[in-house]
Amino acid sequence: MTDRVQIVSPIDGRVYAERNLATGAEIEAAVAKTRRAREVWGELTVKERAKFLEHFLDALLGKNDEILPELAWQMGRPVRYGGERRGVEERSRHMIAIAEESLKPSMRPEKPGFQRWISREPLGTVMVIAPWNYPYLTAINSIVPALMAGNAVILKHASQTLLAGERLAEAFAAAGLPDGLFQNLVLNHENTEKLIGSGAIDHVNFTGSVEGGRRIERAAAGTFATLGLELGGKDPAYVREDANLSYAVENLVDGSFFNSGQSCCGVERIYVHAGVYDRFVKDFVENARGWTLGNPLDADTLVGPMATPRFADHVRGQTLEALRKGAKAHLNSNHDLDEESSPYLAPEVLTNVNHQMAVMREESFGPVVGIMKVADDAEAIQLMNDNPYGLTASIWTEDLETAAKIGSKVETGTVFANRCDYLDPALVWTGVKETGKGGALSEIGYANLTQPKSYHLKVV
């Protein structure tokens, strides 16, 4: 077993950075530090914690010029998009702003001779296991509210984006948090599971694959640690006959191909009412042709490489299987960089698809989308639910009342109307079925990062 982790850049296949794995002694020391830091942090009010977190956020945002090219080198996102600054700021500031209200004691109705309330207490040490596809946004979802709620945090970042963990640690150090309250550890799967199973972790928030979620559950078995799991997805969109087609096309192309399709809530399958199907497909394909593949360091590039060649070959395999079964490819892009075992993969639009094809049933997590014709709302609902996942679903219509009715029948964590691929921090971010359990953001995110404590005081 190697004691080093390498970041192999999708841009050119070279080792971009290399780090040592944390030793057993370093992991033990980190756990001990969290206990001491929690005591100091617990003495502060929510308002006092907020000042530290605001300083952290300012420090992190100040690093964006350095973070931008690092993201491109680590996981391939084009620099033209400005990194994750806007989302990080929006989510952080919202969660800081609602913390006091979300965490305040819940007073019970007056009862003569008694004082009664329920407080929200920190869980203890929260372990955040963050993915590579949005290495800052996904981490922030849990880190900021966990700290605001009085917890300590240990971050284990994906090996592909280790530098994101370092940048977060630098920003927390600049903010002057108690020593050990936030720690960034470089861990492999074995040591991650060992730490979770040690009983030193009180809550795990994991974003990743379904199999990864199962491993986290097995590792935590018997420890009584709580879990927040955001796992796989195959998010659908349904375009009704009354949709604003030009608006739907523009947003759904973006929702399908932004970040090379490597978005947890990216659109992976589209169902279109028969009355507008032909026009939608024509306009969608025309728009998609503008999403050109290239070097992510080039300011003109819209689609960069996928994070690894393995991920790109997975999508290629799904596409080829669909074509063998009768699907039609509309873009057929010929690009020098797009070849077998290359992380560079040009976007593709498929029609004549069905649910016997993996591209319509299994997670792709890449720049390919299948479009199917449906007769009515009922068929669209049936097809949207014909899947083991459930993170988001988007409905494109001018009738919001009907959108809500359709959404109530779709097995998903979030129902969108006339938008997609976005997290509103005022709403809980959650999934159903094999997409996982728990929830981040909103006041519910705070509830999941704390435990209730009842006070039942009798006057004598």
Side-chain angles (χ1 to χ4, degrees):
M1 182 179 68
T2 180
D3 59 357
R4 301 277 285 174
V5 177
Q6 293 182 336
I7 300 174
V8 177
S9 176
I11 290 180
D12 57 12
R14 291 185 294 181
V15 175
Y16 177 63
E18 193 171 8
R19 296 292 185 269
N20 290 324
L21 286 169
T23 64
E26 288 170 336
I27 296 170
E28 289 180 12
V31 169
K33 275 187 172 183
T34 64
R35 295 195 185 103
R36 294 192 295 268
R38 273 162 31 197
E39 294 180 10
V40 178
W41 194 239
E43 296 298 318
L44 301 181
T45 66
V46 174
K47 283 185 178 179
E48 289 170 332
R49 293 176 199 153
K51 292 179 181 178
F52 281 97
L53 270 295
E54 286 165 356
H55 289 319
F56 151 75
L57 181 59
D58 290 341
L60 183 63
L61 297 178
K63 296 176 178 291
N64 202 57
D65 287 345
E66 302 163 76
I67 287 172
L68 262 182
E70 286 179 354
L71 283 173
W73 281 106
Q74 289 177 97
M75 50 74 64
R77 186 182 308 131
V79 296
R80 67 176 292 144
Y81 296 115
E84 299 171 25
R85 175 180 179 136
R86 184 172 63 178
V88 164
E89 182 169 16
E90 180 186 30
R91 297 179 195 182
S92 298
R93 294 207 190 282
H94 179 81
M95 294 307 289
I96 293 170
I98 70 168
E100 192 163 23
E101 179 67 23
S102 300
L103 296 168
K104 74 178 184 180
S106 174
M107 306 306 296
R108 301 295 91 183
E110 186 175 339
K111 182 178 181 181
F114 292 91
Q115 296 178 19
R116 303 175 302 160
W117 68 90
I118 301 170
S119 67
R120 303 299 315 184
E121 303 293 322
L123 293 172
T125 297
V126 172
M127 186 172 189
V128 177
I129 305 176
W132 50 265
N133 63 317
Y134 282 94
Y136 291 94
L137 287 174
T138 52
I140 285 295
N141 287 351
S142 298
I143 291 173
V144 168
L147 292 171
M148 284 298 302
N151 300 288
V153 172
I154 292 176
L155 172 65
K156 185 273 179 197
H157 222 302
S159 58
Q160 192 67 33
T161 45
L162 290 177
L163 300 190
E166 294 180 4
R167 293 298 189 192
L168 289 164
E170 291 167 5
F172 278 118
L177 270 68
D179 183 38
L181 188 71
F182 173 87
Q183 295 179 79
N184 173 52
L185 296 180
V186 180
L187 303 172
N188 58 18
H189 293 321
E190 180 183 344
N191 284 340
T192 299
E193 293 170 16
K194 184 177 179 181
L195 177 54
I196 292 170
S198 70
I201 302 300
D202 300 292
H203 177 83
V204 181
N205 189 277
F206 171 75
T207 305
S209 68
V210 173
E211 179 53 36
R214 292 193 176 106
R215 292 182 67 170
I216 297 297
E217 284 198 322
R218 288 195 292 268
T223 67
F224 305 116
T226 54
L227 303 177
L229 304 174
E230 185 201 314
L231 310 175
K234 190 71 181 174
D235 291 8
Y238 170 39
V239 181
R240 297 186 76 237
E241 192 170 20
D242 69 340
N244 180 328
L245 283 194
S246 60
Y247 178 83
V249 163
E250 180 180 357
N251 284 274
L252 284 171
V253 170
D254 181 273
S256 301
F257 300 137
F258 185 81
N259 205 39
S260 298
Q262 300 169 128
S263 300
C264 300
C265 55
V267 175
E268 295 210 356
R269 50 198 175 110
I270 302 174
Y271 306 100
V272 184
H273 190 280
V276 293
Y277 176 82
D278 290 338
R279 180 183 159 198
F280 177 87
V281 170
K282 176 179 176 295
D283 292 351
F284 190 95
V285 170
E286 183 178 343
N287 187 300
R289 293 191 192 282
W291 284 69
T292 52
L293 179 68
N295 188 314
L297 297 172
D298 185 337
D300 294 329
T301 294
L302 273 73
V303 180
M306 297 186 69
T308 73
R310 176 169 58 89
F311 299 154
D313 280 343
H314 169 73
V315 180
R316 289 187 180 100
Q318 286 189 339
T319 302
L320 288 172
E321 184 235 24
L323 294 175
R324 287 196 301 270
K325 292 182 176 180
K328 178 181 178 181
H330 289 263
L331 298 182
N332 293 304
S333 301
N334 292 314
H335 197 289
D336 292 342
L337 294 171
D338 184 353
E339 56 185 12
E340 187 176 356
S341 298
S342 165
Y344 288 88
L345 180 63
E348 187 57 272
V349 178
L350 302 175
T351 57
N352 294 346
V353 290
N354 58 54
H355 278 221
Q356 281 67 55
M357 301 173 182
V359 75
M360 295 299 287
R361 289 273 302 156
E362 299 172 11
E363 187 170 38
S364 301
F365 220 60
V368 62
V369 66
I371 306 176
M372 279 185 68
K373 182 189 299 184
V374 296
D376 51 27
D377 295 348
E379 184 181 10
I381 292 167
Q382 185 272 321
L383 289 168
M384 285 192 279
N385 288 339
D386 183 27
N387 198 266
Y389 306 114
L391 185 59
T392 78
S394 62
I395 301 159
W396 302 79
T397 176
E398 294 186 354
D399 184 346
L400 295 187
E401 183 178 351
T402 297
K405 288 179 180 178
I406 293 171
S408 70
K409 298 177 182 179
V410 178
E411 298 160 354
T412 188
T414 294
V415 176
F416 290 116
N418 303 320
R419 79 175 314 173
C420 58
D421 195 20
Y422 172 75
L423 277 70
D424 183 337
L427 298 171
V428 67
W429 189 244
T430 188
V432 300
K433 298 192 288 191
E434 290 190 9
T435 290
K437 63 181 180 180
L441 304 175
S442 78
E443 69 278 8
I444 295 174
Y446 275 114
N448 289 332
L449 290 165
T450 55
Q451 57 191 0
K453 184 174 184 178
S454 291
Y455 287 79
H456 192 166
L457 312 182
K458 184 177 181 180
V459 178
V460 296

